[in-house]
């Protein structure tokens, strides 16, 4: 799979980060509402470093978490990554997203994620399966996974989150989507 070329839908565009996106990217990483299911908020310097790292991952792996653009502006993060070996659902690939609050509830993530999955499951080099996961109380992300056709897997404790400092963020719900299931759901008739 290669995400270096933009993924375009009728209302969204998933593309590599640009310098002009840095303020929005920082907001996504620092906003208390957006980050309530994550164990840390990032400073502007940390956000800039992360954006640079995501761009390097795109060059290295062909996939990364990219800018989700609506009406010419970056309003979220959407993309894929190779699962870290420490994750209980590894090896494999994950899809994930975050969106600025004023864009919630408009279907942008579902639309863009479906297009991203279509590319991931397309020939050549199609993935056999994609996973997604969220904190067990993140009903909005879970709803997106269900709309996309993911099936619930085994819940797990996230190995990178401390039970001592963030006990409410440890337990995660795992979802899986196979290429066959995705293709069958999109087939006409």
């Amino acid at each position: 799979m290669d995400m270096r070329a933009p993924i375009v839908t009728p209302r969204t565009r998933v593309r590599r980060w640009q310098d002009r996106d840095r303020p929005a990217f920082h907001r996504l990483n620092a906003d208390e509402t957006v980050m309530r299911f994550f164990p840390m908020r990032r400073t502007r310097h940390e956000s800039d470093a992360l954006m640079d790292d995501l761009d390097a991952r795109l060059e290295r792996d062909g996939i990364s978490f990219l800018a989700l653009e609506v009406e010419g502006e970056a309003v979220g993060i959407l993309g894929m990554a190779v699962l870290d070996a420490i994750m209980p659902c590894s090896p494999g690939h994950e899809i994930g997203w975050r969106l600025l609050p004023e864009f919630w509830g408009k279907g942008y993530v579902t639309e863009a994620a479906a297009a991203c999955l279509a590319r991931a499951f397309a020939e050549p080099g199609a993935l056999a399966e994609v996973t997604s996961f969220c904190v067990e109380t993140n009903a909005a992300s879970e709803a997106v996974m269900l709309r996309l056709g993911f099936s619930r897997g085994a819940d797990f404790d996230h190995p990178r989150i401390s039970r001592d400092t963030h006990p409410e963020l440890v337990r995660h719900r795992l979802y899986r989507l196979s290429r066959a299931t995705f293709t069958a759901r999109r087939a006409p008739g």
Side-chain angles (χ1 to χ4, degrees):
M1 159 154 200
D2 192 331
M3 296 178 72
R4 283 173 270 223
I7 299 169
V8 180
T9 73
R11 301 183 306 150
T12 70
R13 188 171 188 232
V14 179
R15 56 157 173 85
R16 62 183 344 142
W17 294 101
Q18 301 169 0
D19 277 338
R20 69 183 177 98
D21 301 325
R22 290 186 187 275
F25 188 71
H26 175 241
R27 184 171 166 218
L28 282 159
N29 288 301
D31 185 279
E32 186 175 313
T33 304
V34 174
M35 297 297 289
R36 73 181 178 277
F37 297 113
F38 293 85
M40 67 178 284
R41 314 294 175 264
R42 288 187 169 85
T43 66
R44 175 63 189 261
H45 177 74
E46 291 167 334
S47 289
D48 285 348
L50 177 59
M51 181 188 282
D52 294 339
D53 180 60
L54 293 174
D55 193 52
R57 288 186 211 179
L58 181 63
E59 286 306 311
R60 182 189 68 223
D61 302 331
I63 61 173
S64 188
F65 293 104
L66 305 171
L68 173 57
E69 180 181 285
V70 173
E71 296 180 4
E73 296 297 323
V75 300
I77 299 169
L78 192 136
M80 296 183 65
V82 175
L83 283 165
D84 191 327
I86 195 172
M87 296 301 289
C89 45
S90 182
H93 294 80
E94 70 168 300
I95 187 170
W97 47 79
R98 268 186 273 152
L99 196 61
L100 292 172
E102 59 269 30
F103 296 93
W104 292 355
K106 300 179 189 308
Y108 295 130
V109 168
T110 303
E111 181 178 324
C116 185
L117 289 165
R119 183 172 293 176
F121 292 132
E123 296 291 347
L127 299 178
E129 180 182 74
V130 173
T131 62
S132 194
F133 47 87
C134 63
V135 172
E136 66 182 349
T137 56
N138 189 344
S141 277
E142 191 171 22
V144 171
M145 293 173 207
L146 292 170
R147 279 193 296 277
L148 291 168
F150 280 81
S151 297
R152 181 100 175 253
D155 291 359
F156 66 96
D157 289 346
H158 199 294
R160 295 205 185 278
I161 299 177
S162 169
R163 188 172 294 287
D164 294 334
T165 58
H166 296 92
E168 74 286 3
L169 300 179
V170 172
R171 197 71 178 156
H172 277 62
R173 292 188 176 160
L174 173 67
Y175 281 83
R176 297 179 179 278
L177 180 63
S178 71
R179 178 178 180 223
T181 299
F182 182 80
T183 303
R185 284 177 51 104
R186 293 177 62 97

